[in-house]
Amino acid sequence: MLRISDILDKAQAYLLPDDLEMIEKAYIYSATVHQGQVRLSGEPYLTHPMEVAGILTDMKMDAATIISGLLHDTIEDTLTTAEQLEREFGKDVAFLVSGLTKLSRISFGSQEERQSENFRKMILAMSADIRILLVRLADRIHNMRTLQYHPKDKRTYIARETMDIYAPLANRLGINSMRMELEDLSFQYIAPDAYDELTAKIAKSKEARAKYTEEVKSIIARELEKNSIKGKVEGRAKHLYSIYKKMHEQHINFDEVYDLIAFRVILDSDLEKTCYEVLSLVHALWKPVPGRFKDYIAMPKANNYQSLHTTVIGPYGERVEIQIRTRNMHEWAEKGIAAHWRYKEGRAYKDSEDNQIKKLREVLEMQQDIKNPKEFMSDLKLALFPEEVYVFTPHGDVKSFPKGATPIDFAYSIHTDVGNQCIGAKVNRSIVPLRYKLQNGDRVEIITQAGHHPSKDWLKNVVTTRAISKIRNWINLDEKRNSMALGKELLEKEFKRNHLKFSNCLKSDEMSKAINGCSLNQLDDLISQVGLGRISPKRIVHYFLTGQEEELKEPVKEKIKTKKTASPSMGVSLLGIDDPDDIMVNFAKCCNPIPGDDIAGYISRGRGVIIHTGNCPYIKRMDKERIVNVQWNTREDHTYPVNIKVICDDIKGILTEVSSIISSFDVNISYAQVETENLIATCTFVIDISNLPQLHQVIAAIRQLKFVKSVEWLHHF
Ligand code: MN
């Protein structure tokens, strides 16, 4: 059984005395809280966290990680709380152990699900600190080493989970030693017969193999010496699972697996060119097998692994696989990401968050010149900047969304109809509001109802472009449908007033002229423009009868406000009118006046008073008799829609960032859209502003965002 003195002995080689004291304190704490708990093996529970800490010490991890290893099960299995851990061992440890507790609570469903790459990404994203994953892997290694004490069905289950999730995860982080051990341990329980058979065969040929290994090693070593290259040659049997996989994949017998032993040249030099030098020596010695040379130095693997691999025809005509690498490359190959907690000159540096991120950045930068590092980089980015959330469908598929996504985004990601007809959602089997923000690991189920439609308000609660465009699509179509009906009705009335039957005039030349005269393409457009209030039916009839344009052109952009007409005077009082609340007031869409602007009212037919800005070109061209004096009568609860355009770099989550700035002023966003082109994003917002100073504040705040290039207020002329 591992003792605390063993751990401290190993740790004192690279940690500070203060660190050692803390590790000892954590040991005592863990022993106290786990007291009386027993493992399936009959041993005291404490042996488990001790072994985990031991593995982490062998990996030369920092003190916080080793302490977290000692305490990793305390929140889950004892009465210990995160607050207590923070008091006793500091923020770092409390954070790591809380992260581990969260991670241990994710349950893994079907095998397909577990094997999905999304799943591994999810785990990465959920572990905000990579050290959480390293402790988790060490935890799993010890559990696998002691798996024999579990009942049989449980053994297989845990072994499969290890093979599906933890071994690939170790591989992803480049920790080869862990991956191989996890694979071999899992293999032993998943396919015990094959495992035993293979072990027996390897044992049988052991002696001959040892002799052969020595022979090849000494030939290579002699060649290095002749050329004054310093380094060591290793020859070791490949791990069982890789042999098994090879036999399985290539449909060959054990005797046909030639390269059971992997030879490795680890150079003292840190120069890449020495690796190529050694390669040419080896190729001069033995004939290379065509197509088996792999240059992972020039093109590292996705997990940053670097080495030269070659297969040659050896002294007995057999295939020999040889890997050539520098010491640094070797350290990475064995320890992967964990190699980055290195200690300079025997002294531990303070492993602050900054330092850690800097280290990881170095890895990223190191990869920038390399052809296919995308996968690894995005994973690291996920780990450092978790901007995405991963959730499950009821079938167990994993879907990813930007942070802030809601069940509506989820619904649209399944199907447009599911989105459009979505009336509610269940998350982890309980009903949530549609504005609920999805969390990592949520299981989301959408409730739909045939005939249900999206509402404009949904736009406030979605972040994915897909949902935004689908909702806008629907609203546009809906507006068009409504405007068609309304337009037709208005035109029918107006034609009737002039003793004409609208339906009889549809295909006439006069109608075509009217359509052309309004710069439109077809009749449907004309009807909907009338319905939207952009063209008056009177103007059409006039055209129809005279073939000429009416004298007064109406503002093209002016549009009836549909929603706000309910509250009549809208914060505007008309001079000389006692009871302004009786008068319907609308704001012109062409100039969107807001409190503080100089304004004028235009008495329309049937649409009440339309408020324009004083310098609006449209109102200047209108009938002077119909223009009235108006003044702002600002009331707190009144807001006015303002269009703003934000031009910025096309980065992830712009909409959310800008929206949150706007919302921080308690300003409602009634519409938001992003269009991107050539890495530049154009965001359009319609925001409900109470007064001019507030608008200026909002605009100034958006301008402060570093990725924003310009903010424009689409308003005056
Ligand atoms: Mn554990």
Side-chain angles (χ1 to χ4, degrees):
M1 187 183 137
L2 196 67
R3 294 160 195 262
I4 185 63
S5 57
D6 301 329
I7 293 175
L8 293 172
D9 275 353
K10 278 188 238 169
Q12 61 93 19
Y14 67 96
L15 290 179
L16 298 170
D18 283 0
D19 293 333
L20 301 178
E21 220 169 273
M22 261 319 206
I23 292 173
E24 198 164 4
K25 184 180 167 189
Y27 161 73
I28 294 164
Y29 189 95
S30 188
T32 313
V33 296
H34 284 301
Q35 190 157 42
Q37 295 177 350
V38 177
R39 297 202 92 211
L40 285 175
S41 62
E43 288 177 300
Y45 194 85
L46 184 64
T47 54
H48 169 63
M50 291 282 287
E51 291 289 341
V52 172
I55 294 167
L56 294 165
T57 316
D58 286 335
M59 290 168 73
K60 291 205 165 40
M61 298 304 298
D62 69 343
T65 314
I66 297 170
I67 292 169
S68 303
L70 285 167
L71 302 172
H72 77 272
D73 281 328
T74 54
I75 295 184
E76 187 76 14
D77 295 339
T78 76
L79 296 172
T80 303
T81 62
E83 290 71 32
Q84 276 166 1
L85 292 183
E86 184 171 340
R87 240 183 352 256
E88 299 289 332
F89 302 100
K91 268 208 173 98
D92 224 14
V93 169
F95 176 75
L96 294 177
V97 177
S98 303
L100 280 156
T101 310
K102 256 185 244 157
L103 203 58
S104 72
R105 285 178 186 157
I106 323 174
S107 63
F108 304 104
S110 72
Q111 194 177 349
E112 291 76 25
E113 188 176 311
R114 280 191 242 134
Q115 277 166 345
S116 101
E117 196 47 37
N118 262 341
F119 225 101
R120 290 190 271 278
K121 281 193 191 161
M122 179 184 85
I123 297 172
L124 280 170
M126 288 180 74
S127 341
D129 188 316
I130 290 194
R131 292 177 295 176
I132 294 173
L133 286 179
L134 297 173
V135 180
R136 184 70 176 145
L137 286 169
D139 178 31
R140 182 50 63 118
I141 282 193
H142 185 244
N143 284 336
M144 287 302 294
R145 284 178 188 165
T146 52
L147 198 61
Q148 71 264 34
Y149 300 108
H150 279 280
K152 199 166 178 233
D153 55 326
K154 215 155 173 218
R155 266 184 250 169
T156 327
Y157 179 84
I158 296 173
R160 279 203 186 284
E161 192 185 69
T162 305
M163 194 66 111
D164 292 344
I165 297 171
Y166 293 97
L169 207 57
N171 183 40
R172 177 51 63 87
L173 297 173
I175 314 168
N176 215 18
S177 49
M178 275 194 166
R179 178 191 61 126
M180 292 193 301
E181 183 171 358
L182 288 171
E183 278 180 354
D184 274 357
L185 285 166
S186 309
F187 174 39
Q188 185 181 345
Y189 293 100
I190 294 170
D193 295 343
Y195 179 89
D196 290 345
E197 202 183 317
L198 201 54
T199 318
K201 277 180 179 156
I202 285 176
K204 219 170 113 191
S205 57
K206 196 178 170 191
E207 222 167 281
R209 216 178 42 245
K211 199 171 151 247
Y212 168 77
T213 308
E214 278 314 310
E215 189 181 344
V216 173
K217 267 168 67 176
S218 66
I219 297 173
I220 300 174
R222 218 179 310 141
E223 204 63 26
L224 291 181
E225 214 180 292
K226 254 197 272 173
N227 290 278
S228 329
I229 295 170
K230 288 207 165 66
K232 63 175 175 185
V233 187
E234 286 180 350
R236 60 173 80 145
K238 288 191 174 164
H239 77 293
L240 287 175
Y241 184 66
S242 70
I243 297 169
Y244 172 76
K245 231 170 61 181
K246 191 163 210 166
M247 287 165 60
H248 223 71
E249 279 165 6
Q250 302 180 3
H251 302 287
I252 51 176
N253 297 320
F254 179 72
D255 304 326
E256 293 172 277
V257 184
Y258 297 107
D259 39 2
L260 284 179
I261 303 157
F263 291 93
R264 194 178 281 157
V265 183
I266 301 159
L267 300 166
D268 284 0
S269 155
D270 269 340
L271 297 173
E272 290 177 2
K273 83 168 202 269
T274 322
C275 297
Y276 293 98
E277 236 173 274
V278 174
L279 179 78
S280 66
L281 293 176
V282 169
H283 282 181
L285 206 56
W286 296 304
K287 201 169 159 350
V289 177
R292 293 298 308 266
F293 168 61
K294 290 197 186 83
D295 187 347
Y296 292 121
I297 290 180
M299 300 231 292
K301 284 191 186 179
N303 65 14
N304 207 33
Y305 171 86
Q306 284 189 300
S307 245
L308 297 177
H309 288 191
T310 186
T311 304
V312 296
I313 306 295
Y316 301 100
E318 79 291 8
R319 283 167 173 239
V320 183
E321 201 184 291
I322 300 169
Q323 302 170 352
I324 303 159
R325 54 175 81 141
T326 66
R327 237 183 347 198
N328 275 345
M329 292 174 193
H330 183 62
E331 191 173 346
W332 178 267
E334 293 292 301
K335 293 192 195 160
I337 198 90
H340 278 268
W341 279 264
R342 254 190 277 133
Y343 296 85
K344 283 175 191 160
E345 293 135 32
R347 261 197 74 225
Y349 59 78
K350 204 170 166 296
D351 198 19
S352 66
E353 182 87 351
D354 275 0
N355 224 330
Q356 189 194 120
I357 289 173
K358 215 179 103 207
K359 283 280 160 198
L360 291 168
R361 286 245 169 79
E362 279 170 19
V363 183
L364 299 182
E365 276 156 18
M366 220 158 78
Q367 300 218 351
Q368 259 168 14
D369 304 327
I370 294 157
K371 275 192 178 165
N372 191 19
K374 270 189 194 138
E375 214 188 352
F376 186 61
M377 276 177 65
S378 68
D379 283 353
L380 274 185
K381 247 169 52 198
L382 276 179
L384 287 173
F385 314 109
E387 283 173 335
E388 292 189 25
V389 289
Y390 293 86
V391 300
F392 300 104
T393 69
H395 304 297
D397 295 332
V398 180
K399 281 178 174 286
S400 71
F401 294 92
K403 235 183 183 167
T406 62
I408 304 174
D409 289 296
F410 181 93
Y412 277 104
S413 80
I414 294 174
H415 194 275
T416 309
D417 289 344
V418 177
N420 284 344
Q421 300 180 3
C422 157
I423 54 161
K426 281 187 192 172
V427 166
N428 305 328
R429 303 207 164 79
S430 351
I431 301 270
V432 296
L434 285 175
R435 60 170 193 280
Y436 170 84
K437 302 252 191 291
L438 299 176
Q439 304 292 318
N440 267 322
D442 278 351
R443 195 169 286 265
V444 188
E445 203 178 321
I446 297 297
I447 307 161
T448 58
Q449 191 180 70
H452 189 77
H453 304 307
S455 91
K456 229 172 192 160
D457 288 344
W458 286 12
L459 288 168
K460 290 179 217 162
N461 293 320
V462 294
V463 295
T464 54
T465 25
R466 184 180 164 85
I468 292 169
S469 76
K470 293 291 178 190
I471 296 168
R472 284 206 47 75
N473 248 344
W474 200 93
I475 290 169
N476 287 342
L477 267 177
D478 189 46
E479 271 182 0
K480 194 163 176 201
R481 270 190 298 267
N482 288 341
S483 63
M484 287 295 286
L486 183 63
K488 200 164 161 229
E489 206 185 303
L490 290 170
L491 284 163
E492 272 166 359
K493 263 190 203 153
E494 194 60 33
F495 272 71
K496 200 171 167 192
R497 206 178 348 221
N498 289 279
H499 315 290
L500 290 162
K501 200 165 175 354
F502 180 60
S503 57
N504 290 342
C505 305
L506 298 182
K507 287 188 176 144
S508 60
D509 287 351
E510 289 88 346
M511 188 60 86
S512 310
K513 272 183 205 157
I515 292 167
N516 287 332
C518 297
S519 318
L520 296 168
N521 294 323
Q522 49 184 345
L523 184 66
D524 276 3
D525 294 342
L526 185 130
I527 297 174
S528 81
Q529 290 293 309
V530 171
L532 288 168
R534 290 182 185 137
I535 301 174
S536 80
K538 220 179 144 199
R539 184 174 154 204
I540 307 297
V541 173
H542 184 83
Y543 227 123
F544 191 84
L545 293 173
T546 67
Q548 271 166 20
E549 182 70 77
E550 236 186 341
E551 239 171 67
L552 171 71
K553 271 193 194 170
E554 288 198 30
V556 182
K557 280 186 184 167
E558 188 177 319
K559 189 180 156 187
I560 304 170
K561 294 245 351 146
T562 43
K563 225 164 118 195
K564 302 250 161 118
T565 43
S567 100
S569 76
M570 297 284 293
V572 179
S573 57
L574 307 180
L575 292 182
I577 294 178
D578 293 337
D579 191 1
D581 279 347
D582 279 349
I583 296 161
M584 187 171 27
V585 170
N586 281 298
F587 291 94
K589 276 275 174 178
C590 49
C591 50
N592 281 320
I594 62 167
D597 279 342
D598 184 25
I599 44 171
Y602 175 75
I603 301 169
S604 73
R605 288 195 187 91
R607 271 182 281 139
V609 177
I610 314 246
I611 309 296
H612 291 260
T613 58
N615 59 358
C616 173
Y618 285 118
I619 198 158
K620 283 181 186 152
R621 280 153 51 193
M622 285 175 196
D623 188 353
K624 297 251 164 9
E625 306 251 283
R626 288 170 167 272
I627 294 177
V628 289
N629 274 329
V630 284
Q631 271 184 1
W632 292 105
N633 170 20
T634 319
R635 298 182 198 165
E636 290 259 316
D637 55 340
H638 279 128
T639 58
Y640 307 85
V642 170
N643 248 299
I644 55 170
K645 190 160 96 184
V646 180
I647 312 256
C648 53
D649 294 331
D650 181 19
I651 58 152
K652 219 175 185 181
I654 357 170
L655 205 56
T656 338
E657 280 222 35
V658 179
S659 304
S660 72
I661 293 283
I662 297 173
S663 308
S664 70
F665 288 90
D666 230 4
V667 168
N668 185 41
I669 303 166
S670 53
Y671 170 69
Q673 193 191 13
V674 188
E675 281 166 40
T676 56
E677 207 185 340
N678 297 330
L679 300 172
I680 296 292
T682 307
C683 315
T684 317
F685 292 92
V686 177
I687 55 179
D688 299 337
I689 286 290
S690 313
N691 51 58
L692 209 51
Q694 185 188 41
L695 177 64
H696 288 312
Q697 280 171 357
V698 171
I699 289 178
I702 298 173
R703 282 203 180 111
Q704 296 277 311
L705 292 169
K706 62 176 181 300
F707 54 85
V708 168
K709 295 191 183 314
S710 73
V711 185
E712 229 183 297
W713 170 16
L714 304 177
H715 164 56
H716 295 282
F717 299 92

